[in-house]
Amino acid sequence: MLARQRGFTYLTILFMLAIMTGGLALAGEVWNTSAMREKEAELLFVGNEYRKAIERYYLSGPQRQYPKSLEQLIKDPRQPGTVRYLRRLYPDPITGKDEWGLVKSADGGFAGVYSLSEAAPLKTAGFAVRDATFEGKTKYAEWQFVFAPVAAASKPAAPKPAAK
């Protein structure tokens, strides 16, 4: 009788161990997904900071031109004093590296940045208006944070008031 009880206790312990292992695996997966969502949110923040810095660089110079390197966003060489559009260069939150992909502009500079990660994003819809082009993209490298100046729209002639 005692041998049967030991076997039952052993099976109970194995069963409990299997349940705990499954629970830990599920918790690890939830934690990983949560960490990726945080990295995506940080990528959206940092990418838009670069976009705004490129815009300020482009609009503040004596002539309209894009920066030639990321370092020019920290200290603008066109200005006599120290002009900063970013306080520091941010690393890519997805890859963890300081290297970014650069979207080239026509004047030889760069108009935007993007992550070099080929991983598939968790977020594929529900972006802010400024990031609406990211919808349906299949990898982070397709999320390009680009500043493109708006062309001056020609104003239509105002209608003349009717004569009385």
Side-chain angles (χ1 to χ4, degrees):
M1 184 85 173
L2 187 60
R4 282 187 183 170
Q5 286 180 344
R6 286 186 186 168
F8 180 74
T9 304
Y10 180 68
L11 286 176
T12 303
I13 290 173
L14 282 177
F15 183 69
M16 293 299 288
L17 186 62
I19 289 174
M20 288 180 5
T21 302
L24 286 174
L26 183 61
E29 187 175 326
V30 168
W31 178 82
N32 186 38
T33 302
S34 175
M36 280 306 296
R37 289 200 189 282
E38 286 180 22
K39 286 181 180 181
E40 279 185 357
E42 188 176 351
L43 176 63
L44 289 169
F45 172 77
V46 169
N48 282 307
E49 287 297 306
Y50 273 111
R51 180 186 298 167
K52 288 188 282 188
I54 293 167
E55 176 183 10
R56 289 190 302 264
Y57 183 96
Y58 182 86
L59 296 174
S60 70
Q63 69 248 11
R64 304 287 191 236
Q65 70 183 68
Y66 288 102
K68 305 281 188 237
S69 69
L70 290 175
E71 288 75 21
Q72 289 183 349
L73 297 175
I74 294 175
K75 184 177 185 314
D76 189 348
R78 305 170 302 166
Q79 305 291 339
T82 301
V83 177
R84 298 179 190 276
Y85 306 105
L86 285 176
R87 295 193 61 78
R88 65 182 177 96
L89 295 179
Y90 297 100
D92 179 348
I94 304 297
T95 64
K97 298 178 182 174
D98 291 332
E99 188 176 359
W100 287 87
L102 301 177
V103 179
K104 297 294 181 187
S105 65
D107 68 359
F110 68 95
V113 297
Y114 60 93
S115 174
L116 296 176
S117 175
E118 296 293 319
L122 297 175
K123 183 173 185 158
T124 56
F127 290 95
V129 174
R130 68 176 179 247
D131 300 327
T133 60
F134 299 167
E135 297 214 11
K137 301 296 183 184
T138 59
K139 53 188 174 180
Y140 291 114
E142 295 174 343
W143 288 13
Q144 295 187 352
F145 300 91
V146 178
F147 167 69
V150 178
S154 59
K155 292 184 179 179
K160 295 181 181 179
K164 289 186 180 182

